[in-house]
Amino acid sequence: KNEVEQSPQNLTAQEGEFITINCSYSVGISALHWLQQHPGGGIVSLFMLSSGKKKHGRLIATINIQEKHSSLHITASHPRDSAVYICAVRRPGTSGSRLTFGEGTQLTVNP
Amino acid sequence: EPEVTQTPSHQVTQMGQEVILRCVPISNHLYFYWYRQILGQKVEFLVSFYNNEISEKSEIFDDQFSVERPDGSNFTLKIRSTKLEDSAMYFCASREGRSQHFGDGTRLSIL
């Protein structure tokens, strides 16, 4: 079983819709990252969370440490939001702070 | 905003040859990472590097692989005697504080 599970694997939405992507993890963590991977392959860090909630523009990320669950929300979605969204966790005590990644969620927003 | 830069963007190599993938981390960052993403699969940790030595490596990072920081700016991943299954996207990342910053990746194709 993967240590980091994302759902859904694929998501298609109409422009303007509210989108939620979920991430569950089965290990103790010191931080959780949400990343965006563009069609060309490049990876951009969106959020790093260790508790609570963060907001940046139309993006909101939340984490519930007790339930080992995080969500990424996109409000008023736009076709340019189309990308793969990846959840990754950092384990506590790992000397190099390596990240363990989920499989990613492919988001397609249609105009 | 400072960026992690990787060269080349695409490398095509014959099986059995050696390749060197290059990365220039963000200048004041002290922790460096290499990750790999085989086409259609999730991103996997290879190695982390701090203070001129490997701080952690995965089971993937065997004797075929090596990393080096030959000068004050470059961070390289060398793959010896390449195999078909080494074909993947290779990402470099650097960190100062808690957030990792990723390069755009090098797509390695082994023929």
Side-chain angles (χ1 to χ4, degrees):
Chain A
K1 189 181 186 300
N2 290 331
E3 291 180 339
V4 182
E5 299 272 2
Q6 287 185 235
S7 63
Q9 279 189 303
N10 294 283
L11 180 57
T12 300
Q14 287 300 121
E15 184 173 355
E17 285 185 3
F18 180 83
I19 286 160
T20 297
I21 298 170
N22 295 298
C23 175
S24 296
Y25 51 92
S26 56
V27 295
I29 68 169
S30 58
L32 182 144
H33 296 249
W34 280 104
L35 309 165
Q36 181 190 55
Q37 185 168 30
H38 298 293
I43 293 175
V44 174
S45 181
L46 299 175
F47 293 104
M48 186 192 63
L49 294 162
S50 53
S51 64
K53 176 179 173 178
K54 286 191 177 179
K55 184 176 190 294
H56 186 256
R58 295 179 295 106
L59 302 178
I60 303 165
T62 63
I63 188 167
N64 185 319
I65 297 293
Q66 285 73 32
E67 294 187 3
K68 292 188 164 64
H69 182 268
S70 176
S71 293
L72 177 69
H73 306 285
I74 305 175
T75 61
S77 59
H78 190 275
R80 65 174 174 266
D81 297 326
S82 298
V84 176
Y85 291 83
I86 301 171
C87 172
V89 301
R90 188 167 80 230
R91 304 284 300 275
T94 52
S95 57
S97 293
R98 63 188 286 183
L99 294 179
T100 301
F101 294 78
E103 303 272 355
T105 294
Q106 173 70 63
L107 172 65
T108 303
V109 181
N110 293 318
Chain B
E1 187 176 320
E3 292 182 338
V4 176
T5 56
Q6 289 186 243
T7 55
S9 57
H10 191 190
Q11 173 81 45
V12 181
T13 301
Q14 290 289 331
M15 187 171 60
Q17 297 296 307
E18 175 182 286
V19 295
I20 297 176
L21 308 183
R22 301 182 192 278
C23 170
V24 179
I26 294 173
S27 62
N28 62 335
H29 287 191
L30 300 178
Y31 298 84
F32 313 116
Y33 305 84
W34 283 103
Y35 296 93
R36 178 182 83 175
Q37 186 178 33
I38 294 170
L39 185 64
Q41 297 185 21
K42 65 181 179 179
V43 180
E44 302 171 290
F45 168 78
L46 290 178
V47 65
S48 59
F49 192 87
Y50 171 71
N51 201 24
N52 285 322
E53 61 183 24
I54 291 173
S55 50
E56 191 177 2
K57 59 183 180 178
S58 73
E59 56 281 358
I60 302 169
F61 194 89
D62 59 19
D63 292 343
Q64 187 193 6
F65 295 88
S66 62
V67 289
E68 196 176 40
R69 190 159 162 79
D71 53 42
S73 60
N74 289 286
F75 178 51
T76 62
L77 175 67
K78 183 188 291 185
I79 309 174
R80 287 177 282 275
S81 190
T82 50
K83 301 177 283 212
L84 294 176
E85 53 265 38
D86 295 326
S87 295
M89 194 80 158
Y90 288 81
F91 292 99
C92 173
S94 69
R95 177 174 74 87
E96 180 60 23
R98 299 174 71 192
S99 188
Q100 292 192 22
H101 297 255
F102 289 82
D104 285 339
T106 293
R107 184 169 301 282
L108 177 62
S109 300
I110 305 299
L111 303 180

